[in-house]
Amino acid sequence: MSAYVSAFELFSIGVGPSSSHTVGPMRAGRDFAARLREAGTLPSVARLDCALYGSLGATGIGHGTPDAVVAGLQGHTPESVDPATVRHAWTDWPAGSDLVLDGTHPVAFAKEHITFAPRTRLPGHPNAMTLTATDAAGATVAEETYYSVGGGFIRREGEAPQVATTPFPLQYDSADELIALCDERGITIAEAARLNEQALRSEAEVAAGLDAIWDAMSACVEAGLHADGVLPGMLKVKRRAGLIRQQLEAVQAEGHRELPGEWLGAFALAVNEENAAGGRVVTAPTNGAAGILPAIGMFWWRFLADVGLGDGNAVTPYGELVGSALLGFHAPTGEHADPIDEAARTEANRRRGIRRFLLTATALGSLFKANASISGAEGGCQAEVGSACAMAAAGLTAVMGGTNRQIENAAEIAMEHHLGLTCDPVGGLVQIPCIERNAIAASTAVTAARLAMRGDGSHYVSLDTVVETMRQTGIDMSTKYKETSEGGLAVNVIEC
């Protein structure tokens, strides 16, 4: 078994506001409908019911969970659905209307068919839901319990926890093993991830897929920077990213230098405001922490891409496996260089750097998912924002030319200083403190990368130790601090 999770699973394009409470339940609803179709029992279904337990029951309405369930039952997927379709699927359900199950079969449905049981916690995971299909006589046609285990991943009751079934060429269960594998082969962490990805798809497909992830991330940043108004929900939180963008552009127009640190915060706010509004986001590795990696990536792209890696040739070669022009370990030079103009070459080099950034983040993010948790309902916000911060710090260190040990050090620094962070969304909305928390964590990721780059990679506390500590801390943490809105800021802030 390997801890490695493909980049195309860890980074999935979906909708806000929550990977565990929106994306996961939508996938569960779709899976349930598909199973009915495949079993040939779809025509006999006359009614659908859904019970949301634990954290899904406690904060489901604020996270859009019932809307997502309805969209999934209708056959929609997080990757392709129009976010507007999900936003009011249950909230504004017209009384007396049928739900078109799997997009083909109409069944009776009312808002009351989704029930909330926040005090009932099933043993498999704090995020649990049971879907029941009955026939016209009231007999059960099918019933399935699903667990939304974080990052949009789901597991059916009775299924074993997901493990890697792909025979990845480089298998590892710890950061120490990963670095040892890289040392043996003389490759970078990003190159190790690339080799694993190529067990699933061609090198060109890997590059195109990573580009699509980045395009979605950067589009989310841009959308958030150019939006205004108030976020949905009782808190009436005002969007700020657009106003900050205007202020920073005014400073530049007056001839002053750009302020990279303030842009970094604006990038993160932009993504998480889009997420809170139910817009198109990339789960990275969760929606609640979706702003950190895009903010760091955009920060590097805009302010640092021409420093360090520059034209793609400034990194010391790590061996014959390092040389992929597609993934950017070196840009083609000499007689093999493409005859493109300077602007296109700059774009291409930045693309190569972003691929390295995402692959590095994937290799280390896989360890958090396998050995601890990326679910706020299971491990608190340390599991979401802490993991994303560590992944971003590792990726930034990689694109700035850091060694494998400096990359591991950066991830350790970032995660160590998020240990014990609680998940306490006010009003059950992914807004306060979630939006600002992403901006602060993005700044922490930059600091962690800078500290690691100033050292030689040696440090006292290993990343593996911090991951295990995060797991233990999550077990010890009170349930009220795990995405239930029953503790912390959630009970000490007046909602209206």
Side-chain angles (χ1 to χ4, degrees), residues 266-283:
F267 298 152
L269 292 178
V271 172
N272 285 89
E273 287 173 357
E274 280 296 290
N275 179 64
R280 176 74 65 204
V281 297
V282 177
T283 300

Side-chain angles (χ1 to χ4, degrees), residues 46 87 97 310 447 485:
R87 208 164 288 142
S97 297
T447 299
S485 291

Side-chain angles (χ1 to χ4, degrees), residues 341-363:
D341 61 34
E342 188 60 32
R345 190 177 302 282
T346 298
E347 169 78 12
N349 286 330
R350 288 179 177 175
R351 287 277 179 182
R352 283 187 282 267
I354 285 295
R355 293 169 195 156
R356 184 186 288 109
F357 172 80
L358 292 173
L359 286 171
T360 303
T362 298

Side-chain angles (χ1 to χ4, degrees), residues 35-224:
R35 288 178 182 278
L36 289 169
R37 170 172 34 84
E38 292 164 4
T41 56
L42 188 64
S44 64
V45 177
R47 172 175 167 143
L48 289 165
D49 289 272
C50 175
L52 302 175
Y53 301 109
S55 181
L56 293 184
T59 63
I61 292 180
H63 286 69
T65 304
D67 300 288
V69 172
V70 169
L73 289 170
Q74 292 171 327
H76 295 295
T77 66
E79 296 82 1
S80 61
V81 68
D82 182 344
T85 299
V86 185
R87 208 164 288 142
H88 306 290
W90 173 84
T91 305
D92 296 333
W93 184 262
S97 297
D98 288 339
L99 187 154
V100 183
L101 184 60
D102 197 41
T104 60
H105 178 62
V107 299
F109 184 78
K111 291 181 68 174
E112 295 74 23
H113 292 187
I114 294 184
T115 58
F116 303 84
R119 302 291 181 183
T120 302
R121 306 186 191 284
L122 302 191
H125 194 275
N127 294 328
M129 55 183 282
T130 297
L131 286 160
T132 305
T134 52
D135 62 19
T140 299
V141 175
E143 184 172 275
E144 295 284 358
T145 294
Y146 291 87
Y147 299 108
S148 183
V149 298
F153 293 90
I154 59 172
R155 185 175 76 245
R156 280 191 310 129
E157 179 72 61
E159 286 183 335
Q162 290 184 352
V163 297
T165 57
T166 302
F168 289 120
L170 296 182
Q171 300 196 20
Y172 61 92
D173 292 316
S174 68
D176 284 348
E177 289 181 11
L178 172 60
I179 290 176
L181 284 171
C182 291
D183 284 348
E184 290 171 7
R185 291 160 177 76
I187 59 175
T188 65
I189 290 174
E191 180 69 9
R194 178 181 75 85
L195 293 174
N196 278 346
E197 294 296 340
Q198 286 183 219
L200 302 172
R201 46 185 62 83
S202 71
E203 185 174 332
E205 290 171 330
V206 173
L210 293 172
D211 285 351
I213 290 170
W214 174 246
D215 287 344
M217 286 182 168
S218 58
C220 187
V221 172
E222 287 301 313

Side-chain angles (χ1 to χ4, degrees), residues 267-306:
F267 298 152
L269 292 178
V271 172
N272 285 89
E273 287 173 357
E274 280 296 290
N275 179 64
R280 176 74 65 204
V281 297
V282 177
T283 300
T286 65
N287 283 29
I292 300 167
L293 278 131
I296 295 297
M298 189 65 74
F299 175 76
W300 175 81
W301 182 287
R302 181 161 175 173
F303 300 108
L304 303 177
D306 298 326

